[in-house]
Amino acid sequence: MTFNYMFPLRAAQFSFAIISLGLTGYVAHWYIVRDGISSPSQINFLIFASLWTLFTVPYLTIAPVYFPKLTHKYATLATDALTMLFWFAGFVALAVFLSTLSLCLGSVCGSAKAAAAFGAFIW
């Protein structure tokens, strides 16, 4: 029996998505509570990418193993490619947003930078 490398990779992807969701959720909450305004769209997009990943990783992990006749190889490829595109666009947009800030201090700034870094890892 050969070792399936996809399960540990999907587990890491799922874990990083949870971490990224927590970090971006903290930043979004900070904007709403402190400033009373909506969080930046870059943060909101990474929240979306995290949630998208949390929904697609179980499909990409379980469907090929337990439902191989119901799993279409191009649907799996498209789902994975779309997830990769979301993460790439999200972490690049957040990195550009953070680079244009004139003042970035405190734990919220560190959390936003960490969210961009985890987005790059997931990508």
Side-chain angles (χ1 to χ4, degrees), residues 55-115:
F55 285 121
T56 59
V57 165
Y59 165 74
L60 293 171
T61 305
I62 295 171
V65 175
Y66 294 107
F67 309 108
K69 293 200 183 251
L70 298 177
T71 305
H72 195 274
K73 63 182 176 181
Y74 293 123
T76 303
L77 177 66
T79 303
D80 223 1
L82 193 59
T83 303
M84 181 189 70
L85 181 67
F86 286 157
W87 280 107
F88 180 73
F91 96 81
V92 168
L94 183 59
V96 169
F97 172 74
L98 290 173
S99 70
T100 61
L101 289 178
S102 60
L103 183 65
C104 187
L105 299 172
S107 62
V108 72
C109 184
S111 295
K113 289 178 182 178

Side-chain angles (χ1 to χ4, degrees), residues 12-98:
Q13 185 180 20
F14 195 82
S15 301
F16 284 172
I18 290 173
I19 292 169
S20 180
L21 181 62
L23 291 168
T24 53
Y26 170 68
V27 175
H29 179 265
W30 183 85
Y31 270 97
I32 292 169
V33 169
R34 184 177 177 271
D35 294 336
I37 59 172
S38 178
S39 57
S41 59
Q42 295 86 350
I43 296 293
N44 296 340
F45 190 77
L46 271 184
I47 291 173
F48 163 74
S50 298
L51 292 173
W52 172 266
T53 302
L54 293 178
F55 285 121
T56 59
V57 165
Y59 165 74
L60 293 171
T61 305
I62 295 171
V65 175
Y66 294 107
F67 309 108
K69 293 200 183 251
L70 298 177
T71 305
H72 195 274
K73 63 182 176 181
Y74 293 123
T76 303
L77 177 66
T79 303
D80 223 1
L82 193 59
T83 303
M84 181 189 70
L85 181 67
F86 286 157
W87 280 107
F88 180 73
F91 96 81
V92 168
L94 183 59
V96 169
F97 172 74
L98 290 173

